[in-house]
Amino acid sequence: ELQEESGLVAEEYVRRGIMVFKFKGNQQLYAVHVYEVTKWTGEVQESEEMEPRWWRSDQFPFDLMWPDDELWFPLCFQPRAAFFTGFAAFPPYEPGCRVVLGHRFEEVEGLDDNGFEWP
């Protein structure tokens, strides 16, 4: 998906988190795996999914992002490598909605799909 949406190919990466999202009124759960990429090839390019821009880690434009990003980004962008898991529930999908109905994000010792508490 990284290559499809950005034109980049990850060469060195580590899995940092796994999250589950749910929209009210929709039984589908959406699992998202988060990776830290430290080495890549290719040229970043714009796609239907994104308009690439670089931001300092203390200046992310959270008002332009999914409303839960501000809740889990601190766990992902710590000075030391850490793992995290989490869950967020949203109202029925509506572009621009800034509401999170409920959430839980936490640092964990390591990532193991078998030990993750799925909601």
Side-chain angles (χ1 to χ4, degrees), residues 20-66:
V20 176
F21 301 102
K22 182 174 185 337
F23 292 91
K24 187 174 182 177
N26 181 344
Q27 294 303 311
Q28 178 73 39
L29 294 176
Y30 300 91
V32 175
H33 298 261
V34 179
Y35 294 86
E36 177 183 7
V37 178
T38 56
K39 185 177 179 182
W40 62 88
T41 59
E43 295 293 323
V44 70
Q45 61 191 23
E46 188 171 336
S47 70
E48 286 185 30
E49 295 291 324
M50 65 173 246
E51 178 185 336
R53 294 185 186 174
W54 297 105
W55 301 93
R56 288 175 36 141
S57 61
D58 61 346
Q59 296 180 345
F60 287 117
F62 289 115
D63 59 320
L64 302 175
M65 301 163 66
W66 282 92

